[in-house]
Amino acid sequence: MAAVAVLRVLFGDESDSRKLSLASGIPATVEQLHTSVKTFFGLQQDFRLQYMDADLNGFVNLTSVSEIANKSTLRVIYYPVLSPDLSGETSLTSCPDPQTPASSIASSSSNNTLYTSTPHSSPETQPSGLSSWPKVFQIPKFTYEAEFELQQKNIEFETNGTYFNPGFKLKGILLDGLAQEMIKYTKYPKDYQCEEVAAALTRAHPCLGQLGSKTGFWGWKQSLKYKMQNYRTKLGRLGHPEIRVNSLKHKREGQGKSAANIKKPRKAEVNYIPLHPKGETTESLENERISLLCEVKKRDNEAVIKAKMEKTFSLRRLEIVQQRPMIEEFKNRWPALFEENEVNAEFLRITTKPLQSKFLSQLDHFSDKLMQVFKKKGGMKGQRIKDVLAINDVCDDINTRRECILRSLVIYLNEDPDSFFKANLASGTDDVERGISSTVMGIYIIRSYDNGKPQDVGIVIEGIKVLTNVGSVIMGFVVLFGLIYALDLRFPENLKYTFEFIQKIIMNLDGHKLNPKIQQLKIKLFS
């Protein structure tokens, strides 16, 4: 396994400097490094990278990863964005940094600059078609007539405070434009996402505010929900796979006739059931899958396997979501997925976020604060946490430290780590196998003696060893988290709060609605 690399990334001047942790080391190409920077920091606008050249004592465009090493300094240079205005003229604008607070953006930009149209990266530039939900939703440009009328009404609103109630035709144009923009990110928007779009619309066009509504945009929010339902109906009739999978006529025998159990993203998946690549069909991708079975048997064939796994992603997702295969059967069909590198790649395809690097860097970021919170815990739980953390005090190993923090988190959230992390001695082989066969989901650890270094750490799903020799307990947990996404599984019931914390706080995936337990811990972490 490659050594962990840490890079310093500058955004603008040195006042905005951030840390990028690469758990698998510096990528092999500049393109891969570009993707790592883009996904880790959630950047929307395209950019190029520069590095600090020691000979020239200045920043130079990065053309080869051989120019950088661990602890090198990079700088992000955004490409200018062409943004046409109503007069037909074109101006250069820059996309706001996603990490910049909205208040500071607003101080340097007018409402129109912040909330009106700025081109996004094209869906075709994404590996599977969609982008993650933006931190700031940008209102698209509507038709020329609609924009002209809104401009006139906004002036009238600023002059005498008169709100504008658009007619049926204009309202339809506005809702169509918003829905077409939202569909780039999700087919099933959540309540808060519809609310963000409605709020952005009334900020970009204040004349569309609604009197009698507590928020001033409640009616727009409801209209957007109905509009998105209508859009899904149209897409379903056209055969879109993510919508078609929920059609009653396509339900398998035994699934019933109820449409209540909708198959849709529930853990912030971006590419839940993507379209097939251009020019490909289910039959052609099935042939690729069969070819992939031969490729996995060859040595030093990672590049070919990765390309075929990327190509067959849509077929794999459709099979997982629609057919819900047993793990043993699915592993036989897609053995390449059950490798550590491919789990990371699949997670990136599904969520557009890196798995291992983000997980470990964020866990390390919160470690000191978590330790402070844990040590204040009293009672039996406090004593159990102290016993776990005592192992960290006598062992100077980063993975052991991470494991101790993870186990303490489980105990703090009133869950039992021993029901999930199954530790066994190597001498009790029969007991180990019996325990594995009866485990629905968990991580097994085999040691030569109590508290000794693990001989083997692996992942169990549905009583099957899906991965072995993953190196450490913390790496086993990271890979299992990725497999839950890759196989579209629910979080294990005995650790549901821990996994929710990992998803929404550590990985920052859809953290808008938290369980009260998680919310209280989040307040302590950020206080």
Side-chain angles (χ1 to χ4, degrees), residues 211-261:
L211 290 173
S213 169
K214 185 176 180 180
T215 59
F217 48 78
W218 185 87
W220 286 109
K221 172 184 170 182
Q222 297 304 114
S223 296
L224 279 170
K225 289 183 177 181
Y226 291 124
K227 174 57 70 174
M228 291 301 293
Q229 289 176 5
N230 293 337
Y231 253 65
R232 287 196 295 270
T233 300
K234 292 177 182 178
L235 289 173
R237 289 171 181 166
L238 293 172
H240 194 289
E242 189 171 344
I243 312 301
R244 188 173 180 266
V245 74
N246 291 309
S247 172
L248 291 178
K249 67 173 66 175
H250 294 109
K251 284 184 177 288
R252 292 188 300 155
E253 185 178 351
Q255 286 186 302
K257 296 297 182 181
S258 173
N261 187 24

Side-chain angles (χ1 to χ4, degrees), residues 50-73:
Q50 295 185 334
Y51 74 98
M52 174 59 73
D53 187 279
D55 297 329
L56 300 176
N57 194 29
F59 285 97
V60 180
N61 289 341
L62 181 65
T63 57
S64 172
V65 292
S66 62
E67 303 286 356
I68 61 174
N70 184 33
K71 297 184 180 180
S72 290
T73 298

Side-chain angles (χ1 to χ4, degrees), residues 136-264:
V136 177
F137 187 89
Q138 296 164 353
I139 299 301
K141 289 288 184 183
F142 303 112
T143 63
Y144 181 86
E145 295 85 352
E147 288 285 349
F148 181 78
E149 186 171 2
L150 288 174
Q151 188 179 62
Q152 296 296 105
K153 296 300 180 180
N154 281 329
I155 294 173
E156 186 178 332
F157 174 80
E158 292 173 2
T159 302
N160 54 31
T162 303
Y163 286 98
F164 173 50
N165 185 19
F168 180 80
K169 182 179 179 180
L170 178 57
K171 186 174 182 179
I173 292 173
L174 301 182
L175 291 173
D176 279 337
L178 294 173
Q180 288 175 18
E181 189 70 13
M182 293 171 69
I183 215 79
K184 296 177 182 178
Y185 306 105
T186 176
K187 307 296 185 298
Y188 294 91
K190 296 188 176 181
D191 184 80
Y192 80 85
Q193 291 170 330
C194 290
E195 185 167 317
E196 284 182 6
V197 176
L201 176 65
T202 55
R203 284 192 291 257
H205 302 289
C207 66
L208 296 176
Q210 297 172 321
L211 290 173
S213 169
K214 185 176 180 180
T215 59
F217 48 78
W218 185 87
W220 286 109
K221 172 184 170 182
Q222 297 304 114
S223 296
L224 279 170
K225 289 183 177 181
Y226 291 124
K227 174 57 70 174
M228 291 301 293
Q229 289 176 5
N230 293 337
Y231 253 65
R232 287 196 295 270
T233 300
K234 292 177 182 178
L235 289 173
R237 289 171 181 166
L238 293 172
H240 194 289
E242 189 171 344
I243 312 301
R244 188 173 180 266
V245 74
N246 291 309
S247 172
L248 291 178
K249 67 173 66 175
H250 294 109
K251 284 184 177 288
R252 292 188 300 155
E253 185 178 351
Q255 286 186 302
K257 296 297 182 181
S258 173
N261 187 24
I262 300 295
K263 296 182 176 69
K264 64 181 181 180

